[in-house]
Amino acid sequence: MKRAVRVIRQLLAHELRGFHSLALWVARRRHGVGAGARPVAYTGPQTALLFGFAFVAVVETVVLALVLPWPLVHTAFLFVDVYTVVQILALHAGCVTRPHVVGADGSLRVRYGQFLDVYVPAADIARVRVDRRYPEGRNVQVHDDGTLDVSVGSQTTVTVELARPVDFVRPMGLRARARVVRLHADDPRALVAALTPERTAPSPAPDPLG
């Protein structure tokens, strides 16, 4: 019973954040990108697919309106199709308005729409590199070795190794811990550069004859 209540609460929270993301998308605003922070887009591999699904749902609605002779059945299908389109748009809006964020302090915020939000302090980032992988399965996966995959379009492009594990909340509300985070960024090299501290070369010794 407790598990069912937790899942329902998480689903309702995702719904509310999805509607909020739609409002931000319409207003062309982003969530959680403060002064001096760098947003990192990750929607590239899935945008066309999501809009394709939305188009199919709209076409299905039109076809059923022409074919079904029963108004009550047509109304039920219309509700389901409209709800499906809204959910697809909410997912896209969530991913656009809630990008990954490199903070002004060098921290990293890894997100997937309204479903995941992992904060990694700058001091906990040990190494970061461009690393393209193709994990199978869900967008958000936690492996037994402590690796968190946050894939988009079944791919990740950046691997972040941590100096110590970070705690986070999984999409359905369970708490987890990660030692390595693999995520997708549309421009992985820019993300790696933003997370790699610039090393200033030491000043040359003064010329004793000068």
Side-chain angles (χ1 to χ4, degrees):
M1 178 62 71
K2 290 184 178 180
R3 180 179 179 183
V5 171
R6 172 177 53 78
V7 170
I8 292 173
R9 290 179 61 182
Q10 284 298 115
L11 290 174
L12 290 175
H14 293 330
E15 290 272 317
L16 292 175
R17 284 193 291 267
F19 290 131
H20 181 232
S21 297
L22 281 170
L24 292 175
W25 187 39
V26 171
R28 296 185 177 182
R29 298 175 57 191
R30 286 177 296 202
H31 175 272
V33 182
R38 299 185 186 184
V40 179
Y42 55 84
T43 58
Q46 71 178 19
T47 299
L49 182 63
L50 289 179
F51 278 98
F53 285 150
F55 177 76
V56 169
V58 171
V59 171
E60 180 183 66
T61 300
V62 174
V63 171
L64 290 177
L66 298 174
V67 173
L68 293 177
W70 307 287
L72 185 60
V73 175
H74 173 255
T75 300
F77 275 102
L78 176 63
F79 173 80
V80 171
D81 286 339
V82 169
Y83 180 78
T84 299
V85 171
V86 170
Q87 290 303 306
I88 292 172
L89 293 178
L91 174 58
H92 176 70
C95 291
V96 171
T97 61
R98 299 169 186 268
H100 303 314
V101 179
V102 177
D105 60 352
S107 61
L108 174 63
R109 193 172 179 180
V110 179
R111 302 196 279 189
Y112 183 71
Q114 56 268 40
F115 302 103
L116 182 73
D117 195 340
V118 181
Y119 176 74
V120 182
D124 292 345
I125 299 175
R127 284 175 294 276
V128 56
R129 65 183 185 276
V130 175
D131 181 22
R132 191 175 297 274
R133 294 173 180 261
Y134 300 92
E136 298 180 355
R138 298 184 300 272
N139 293 90
V140 178
Q141 299 184 69
V142 183
H143 303 284
D144 294 337
D145 63 354
T147 298
L148 167 64
D149 280 334
V150 186
S151 62
V152 179
S154 299
Q155 61 179 295
T156 62
T157 56
V158 174
T159 293
V160 183
E161 298 179 13
L162 307 181
R164 57 182 177 179
V166 295
D167 295 323
F168 64 96
V169 178
R170 301 173 69 166
M172 286 296 101
L174 293 176
R175 301 198 66 84
R177 175 171 290 190
R179 294 178 177 273
V180 176
V181 180
R182 297 196 293 241
L183 63 143
H184 175 80
D186 290 347
D187 188 347
R189 297 188 183 280
L191 174 57
V192 171
L195 290 173
T196 303
E198 295 183 2
R199 305 258 192 313
T200 304
S203 302
D207 186 349
L209 300 179

